[in-house]
Amino acid sequence: MDPAVIQKCIHCGMCLPSCPTYQETKIERNSPRGRISLMRAIAEKRMDLTASFAHELYFCLGCLACQTACPVGVDYKTLFEASRQDIEKSKILNNPLRLLARTFLIKYLFLSSWRLRTFGRLLRIYQRMGLDRFFKSLPFLPAKLKDMLGQLPSIAPHFSYEIISTREIPINTPARWKVGLLTGCVQDLVFSKINRDTADVLLYNGCEVICPPEQGCCGSLHAHNGELETAERLAKKLLAAFPIEELDAIITNSAGCGSHLKHFSDLFPPGTFWRQKAEVWDKKVYDIHEWLIKIGFSPPQAFPCTSQSHTVITYHDACHLCHGQKIKNEPRAILRSLPCIQFIELEEADHCCGSAGIYNILQPEMAHKLLNKKVEKIKKTNASVVCTANPGCLLFIEKGLKKHHLNIQTIHPISLLAQYYRMKERDGGSIEKKEANLAGLIH
């Protein structure tokens, strides 16, 4: 841990109201200020790195709300990731089951797009045969294992490379920009349609799209879980996969990935080849909403609609978009541009939903407390659609809405925008068809 970063904290406590775990427990050590005090004690050799400290760091969601609240700009993300790296190097939490799970998931499965897709294909077959429902119905299966099986997301019918060409150019407008499109790992397996929608939105707005078929994981999962050296290996793979110098921008549509992708240079020592390459990369990575606002995106063509056809939507800020990348207004500007939509602001929209990567699996009790709070706030809006821009948030909020038997759809803002663009091309001037298609999308 860097003592200079730790010493920047002035212990003012401004972070406390923003911290989800502190708000739930009111215990100082469960707050960013408490955790930084523990880090300082270890850095100054006044305390050993203990299992208790390690559990505390894994109790933290890593939502970065404290960074937004901090008046002196403490880089909590760097402290958080460095501390988890020290914890993993100390092996203080190791036990056979944890070691097996981490080795399989973090050091084997997510290191290769081929392995990940093979796993995805097997999981798709397992789900299509109904084996997931069969195993969950077995009375002797432990409840915790049933819950874990219930959290497995549905694998998409196609992976991104099967529905997006390596190079696509706009048809009805000259290309003004050349951009790379990141397809992710979980996003590729579960939400490849969002990647297709993102490509279509970019094409509609005059962007030539370069989408290498072999991309893989960006390493965000590894960096957040104390595996910075593995994150470095994965960053090199992505840096080599794209023609960075030829591109005007590199686009991501996943909040959690974007927050990590914009800081690749932090992974490499100054003056090295990879550091120089990553510094160019960092300047070109944009979240899709951020990029569309920057280039002046084309709002969907307005069409008259009856008051009954206005759909109420709301928006949940993914933590690593609003706190990690400081992007809050851009998704709202896009959503507000959609015809026949009534946008209602969600109370505490920037509070974590509890998903936080694999946090909802490791810390289910706290994660579900936060999820239940989020669902209650959503109910108050009377919205029929919740938009959010992170795969983890989409899955976890959808789970919460189903648990509470609420007929509310979750959708990525860019998928909604893509649907409007397609309505223009497919339905011409027919208002009735547009309204019917919008209703079909929402319900």
Side-chain angles (χ1 to χ4, degrees):
M1 286 173 275
D2 184 350
V5 182
I6 296 174
Q7 287 164 7
K8 204 169 178 182
C9 176
I10 57 174
H11 299 275
C12 64
M14 296 288 283
C15 55
L16 301 187
S18 69
C19 177
T21 51
Y22 177 78
Q23 284 302 308
E24 289 297 323
T25 66
K26 302 298 182 189
I27 297 172
E28 174 73 13
R29 65 181 290 124
N30 296 158
S31 73
R33 184 175 66 180
R35 290 171 183 131
I36 291 174
S37 290
L38 294 173
M39 293 174 197
R40 176 176 287 179
I42 292 171
E44 294 174 352
K45 311 291 184 192
R46 291 184 285 110
M47 189 180 108
D48 292 331
L49 198 162
T50 61
S52 173
F53 171 76
H55 286 302
E56 184 54 54
L57 262 290
Y58 276 98
F59 189 54
C60 173
L61 292 136
C63 67
L64 307 183
C66 53
Q67 283 198 175
T68 299
C70 182
V72 294
V74 172
D75 184 0
Y76 184 79
K77 174 177 174 287
T78 297
L79 293 175
F80 169 78
E81 291 182 352
S83 296
R84 284 195 172 182
Q85 184 182 37
D86 289 346
I87 290 164
E88 294 310 320
K89 283 184 175 175
S90 74
K91 301 181 179 177
I92 203 161
L93 290 180
N94 274 6
N95 60 55
L97 185 60
R98 184 178 190 272
L99 197 58
L100 179 66
R102 282 183 70 88
T103 302
F104 175 70
L105 286 174
I106 296 180
K107 297 183 178 178
Y108 179 77
L109 188 62
F110 278 83
L111 288 192
S112 157
S113 55
W114 180 84
R115 288 177 205 149
L116 202 55
R117 284 172 181 160
T118 302
F119 178 77
R121 288 186 179 96
L122 294 173
L123 193 54
R124 187 189 289 155
I125 293 168
Y126 162 83
Q127 290 171 342
R128 286 185 179 177
M129 291 178 69
L131 293 176
D132 51 343
R133 293 188 296 276
F134 170 72
F135 281 111
K136 279 187 282 185
S137 68
L138 295 176
F140 55 82
L141 218 60
K144 193 171 181 179
L145 185 55
K146 283 186 182 181
D147 188 52
M148 287 180 70
L149 288 173
Q151 291 193 51
L152 285 174
S154 295
I155 301 299
H158 304 286
F159 300 126
S160 300
Y161 80 95
E162 295 170 321
I163 52 176
I164 306 174
S165 300
T166 304
R167 176 175 177 261
E168 297 194 11
I169 55 174
I171 296 173
N172 298 322
T173 179
R176 291 178 291 166
W177 297 277
K178 187 174 182 179
V179 304
L181 176 58
L182 291 151
T183 52
C185 50
V186 174
Q187 187 92 334
D188 182 39
L189 262 59
V190 182
F191 293 115
S192 55
K193 185 177 180 303
I194 295 176
N195 288 333
R196 179 65 258 176
D197 292 338
T198 305
D200 288 343
V201 166
L202 288 166
L203 292 167
Y204 190 90
N205 284 281
C207 299
E208 176 184 344
V209 177
I210 305 299
C211 188
E214 295 300 324
Q215 298 187 25
C217 177
C218 67
S220 167
L221 172 71
H222 305 77
H224 296 166
N225 286 279
E227 298 289 345
L228 290 173
E229 288 163 8
T230 312
E232 181 184 314
R233 284 174 56 193
L234 289 167
K236 285 180 181 175
K237 275 189 178 180
L238 268 187
L239 291 169
F242 283 87
I244 303 169
E245 301 294 343
E246 297 175 18
L247 301 175
D248 297 302
I250 300 153
I251 307 298
T252 174
N253 54 25
S254 168
C257 300
S259 183
H260 176 71
L261 287 158
K262 289 181 175 179
H263 302 281
F264 265 5
S265 58
D266 293 345
L267 295 168
F268 305 103
T272 60
F273 167 80
W274 288 108
R275 173 70 170 236
Q276 290 171 3
K277 202 172 178 69
E279 284 173 348
V280 178
W281 168 280
D282 289 356
K283 290 175 185 170
K284 293 191 175 185
V285 174
Y286 286 87
D287 172 75
I288 178 64
H289 310 90
E290 183 183 21
W291 174 250
L292 291 175
I293 295 297
K294 178 182 169 65
I295 64 174
F297 81 107
S298 300
Q301 193 174 26
F303 57 88
C305 51
T306 64
S307 58
Q308 287 81 6
S309 65
H310 274 81
T311 300
V312 179
I313 65 171
T314 192
Y315 175 73
H316 161 69
D317 287 286
C319 295
H320 281 251
L321 196 59
C322 68
H323 301 305
Q325 301 179 62
K326 311 303 180 198
I327 295 173
K328 292 194 72 168
N329 296 328
E330 292 85 345
R332 288 172 170 80
I334 290 169
L335 291 172
R336 288 181 193 279
S337 77
L338 304 179
C340 297
I341 289 289
Q342 183 186 0
F343 181 82
I344 300 292
E345 194 63 64
L346 178 64
E347 191 182 338
E348 297 182 351
D350 60 355
H351 285 209
C352 184
C353 66
S355 173
I358 55 173
Y359 186 90
N360 60 88
I361 300 170
L362 301 176
Q363 304 283 351
E365 187 180 345
M366 176 57 70
H368 281 86
K369 278 184 183 177
L370 299 176
L371 178 62
N372 290 337
K373 276 189 170 182
K374 182 62 67 178
V375 170
E376 286 303 314
K377 302 291 183 192
I378 292 170
K379 276 170 67 177
K380 284 185 183 178
T381 65
N382 291 319
S384 56
V385 178
V386 184
C387 292
T388 189
N390 191 57
C393 301
L394 283 167
L395 289 169
F396 204 50
I397 291 176
E398 183 184 53
K399 178 184 176 184
L401 295 172
K402 280 183 180 173
K403 182 183 169 187
H404 288 81
H405 308 291
L406 295 171
N407 185 24
I408 302 174
Q409 187 182 350
T410 54
I411 190 168
H412 195 292
I414 297 304
S415 289
L416 206 49
L417 179 60
Q419 183 66 17
Y420 270 91
Y421 286 158
R422 290 180 193 127
M423 276 197 284
K424 179 193 171 187
E425 294 173 357
R426 189 176 55 211
D427 305 330
S430 167
I431 294 168
E432 291 75 16
K433 283 186 179 177
K434 286 186 171 81
E435 290 190 347
N437 279 318
L438 181 60
L441 170 72
I442 302 305
H443 300 293

